[in-house]
Amino acid sequence: GSDALDDWRQFGTGLVGLQAIERGNALLAFRMDDRKQRIVIDRAQGEGTRFFGWEVADATDLDALAARLERAGVAVTSEPQALADSRRVRGLISFSDPAGNRLEAFHGAEIDDAPFRPGRSISGFRTGALGLGHAVLTVENLVPVMSFYVDVLGFGLSDYIEKPFRAYFFHVNARHHSLALIETGSNGMHHLMVELFSLDDVGQAYDIAQQEDRVNVTLGRHTNDLMTSFYARSPSAFMVECGWGGREIDPANWTPFEMHDGPSLWGHERVWLSPEDRAVAREMRMRAAAEGKRAPVQVMEGNFKLMSGTC
């Protein structure tokens, strides 16, 4: 929800590279692949209002999810076809997580006949079976929210960190994480990540973000999903992470673990952290540099994947 549609249009197309789709005076949608929409900015919703769409395979799976939620004591609304049409899906239900976030489970996302046309010259976004990217939420109390996503919805824990802040990362497919929760003492949205096919796309977005004074987290590389990225301040009260080279996992054979090297191998100076936590994060990066820590680079080119063990 935001009434800053003009700012969002410029940010989404000119910096991130999304394709803007006008849907009247109150609604702005963004495409990033063959789907009719992936992100929606709605003037009619209040600033800070948000919903997250989680996809299931078909109507049978949607009914099964609704039944599982109701058995767990979660109130479920079967949304009318008019809302499904607005979301550009065949059917959907809505419910809330323990932090009060509105979730919408759906099936049958509509495919656009027209090709995706990015807002600026980029190589494209890595979506498909991996989904839009990932969402990171802040929570007052991590335990009940994590229990809901894992025990009720069936998300898998990928890994977690306890310093310099407490964060847990969850997968629903081969993407290392599609959701993460950061315990901050308040409920909100931290950032949304989109993954581009080219490192140069990220670097050029970084130049644009610097020119527009939108960099909230500097260029760096994560220790868990191995993403090279930066975070830009969006027109709303959360950030958008533009990344490249994210890690794929095998969910069936993945064992979660605690990470002790902090969230970033290098870079990612976080202006949103307190001075004390920034100092802890910086010390962790300096230790990684002193120990010569490295991670393999995953390069995506179209439908081909090249794995290299050196940098």
Side-chain angles (χ1 to χ4, degrees), residues 84-113:
D85 292 343
S86 173
R87 299 287 195 254
R88 302 309 196 258
V89 299
R90 288 197 189 122
L92 78 155
I93 60 173
S94 66
F95 50 97
S96 295
D97 70 13
N101 295 295
R102 176 183 170 93
L103 310 182
E104 298 181 353
F106 69 93
H107 76 95
E110 295 180 9
I111 303 300
D112 204 316
D113 293 332

Side-chain angles (χ1 to χ4, degrees), residues 26 47 69 72 92-93 108 116 136 146 148 153-154 161 171 211 224 232 236 244 259 277 283:
E47 186 72 39
L69 287 162
L92 78 155
I93 60 173
F116 167 62
V136 176
M146 177 169 63
F148 173 79
L153 293 186
I161 61 173
H171 59 265
Q211 178 72 22
N224 58 355
S236 296
W244 169 85
M259 297 179 297
D277 286 342
E283 189 276 331

Side-chain angles (χ1 to χ4, degrees), residues 189-236:
M189 183 168 179
H190 187 268
H191 74 265
L192 182 73
M193 188 282 297
V194 296
E195 184 177 4
L196 294 113
F197 272 125
S198 169
L199 179 59
D200 291 334
D201 292 335
V202 174
Q204 288 161 358
Y206 190 58
D207 281 345
I208 296 169
Q210 287 181 308
Q211 178 72 22
E212 298 179 359
D213 193 26
R214 286 192 176 276
V215 176
N216 260 17
V217 178
T218 62
L219 190 68
R221 192 170 186 220
H222 284 299
T223 51
N224 58 355
D225 68 355
L226 309 183
M227 192 81 71
T228 299
S229 66
F230 75 94
Y231 297 62
R233 176 172 41 83
S234 81
S236 296

Side-chain angles (χ1 to χ4, degrees), residues 69-214:
L69 287 162
E70 289 173 342
R71 286 195 300 271
V74 178
V76 178
T77 300
S78 180
E79 296 293 351
Q81 191 59 46
L83 182 60
D85 292 343
S86 173
R87 299 287 195 254
R88 302 309 196 258
V89 299
R90 288 197 189 122
L92 78 155
I93 60 173
S94 66
F95 50 97
S96 295
D97 70 13
N101 295 295
R102 176 183 170 93
L103 310 182
E104 298 181 353
F106 69 93
H107 76 95
E110 295 180 9
I111 303 300
D112 204 316
D113 293 332
F116 167 62
R117 298 186 182 281
R120 64 179 180 86
S121 181
I122 60 170
S123 58
F125 296 95
R126 189 179 177 205
T127 56
L130 300 178
L132 179 153
H134 70 234
V136 176
L137 309 177
T138 62
V139 294
E140 181 179 3
N141 186 352
L142 194 147
V143 173
V145 185
M146 177 169 63
S147 177
F148 173 79
Y149 280 99
V150 173
D151 299 332
V152 179
L153 293 186
F155 286 32
L157 177 63
S158 297
D159 45 47
Y160 59 98
I161 61 173
E162 296 290 343
K163 293 182 179 180
F165 49 86
R166 196 178 189 204
Y168 282 61
F169 302 83
F170 307 90
H171 59 265
V172 294
N173 51 44
R175 190 184 292 280
H176 175 273
H177 62 278
S178 294
L179 173 74
L181 304 173
I182 303 177
E183 189 173 71
T184 64
S186 62
N187 297 321
M189 183 168 179
H190 187 268
H191 74 265
L192 182 73
M193 188 282 297
V194 296
E195 184 177 4
L196 294 113
F197 272 125
S198 169
L199 179 59
D200 291 334
D201 292 335
V202 174
Q204 288 161 358
Y206 190 58
D207 281 345
I208 296 169
Q210 287 181 308
Q211 178 72 22
E212 298 179 359
D213 193 26
R214 286 192 176 276

